[in-house]
Amino acid sequence: MLTVRYFAGARAAAGGVSTEEIAADSLEELAQTLTDRHGERLGLVLKAASFLVDGLTCHDRQAALPAGATVDILPPFAGG
């Protein structure tokens, strides 16, 4: 199981959920599971979001996720 934490617009798109537990082997699988659970609005946010896995940026959405990892979902932010 993974701990998923939502920030800013990702939290709003997930219906106000800030943290939840999800089973997924990769970010791609995670994104699909979260879209199925919360809807296409979150799916759109996830397409543009950055992901931190245990505090480190992860760009490879096919890479295996370690069991028990914390995944932070950070949507694009306005400004600099």
Side-chain angles (χ1 to χ4, degrees):
M1 293 296 280
L2 305 168
T3 300
V4 177
R5 298 189 304 185
Y6 299 96
F7 293 87
R11 180 180 296 163
V17 174
S18 61
T19 305
E20 66 182 318
E21 300 289 319
I22 300 286
D25 294 325
S26 68
L27 290 177
E28 190 66 36
E29 182 182 340
L30 177 64
Q32 185 60 56
T33 300
L34 295 175
T35 299
D36 292 345
R37 180 177 286 188
H38 296 289
E40 191 55 36
R41 181 174 173 217
L42 180 59
L44 291 172
V45 171
L46 295 175
K47 288 178 184 178
S50 297
F51 296 88
L52 300 179
V53 178
D54 289 335
L56 300 174
T57 301
C58 183
H59 297 288
D60 183 358
R61 293 187 179 213
Q62 301 301 322
L65 293 171
T70 297
V71 178
D72 295 328
I73 300 175
L74 306 169
F77 291 92

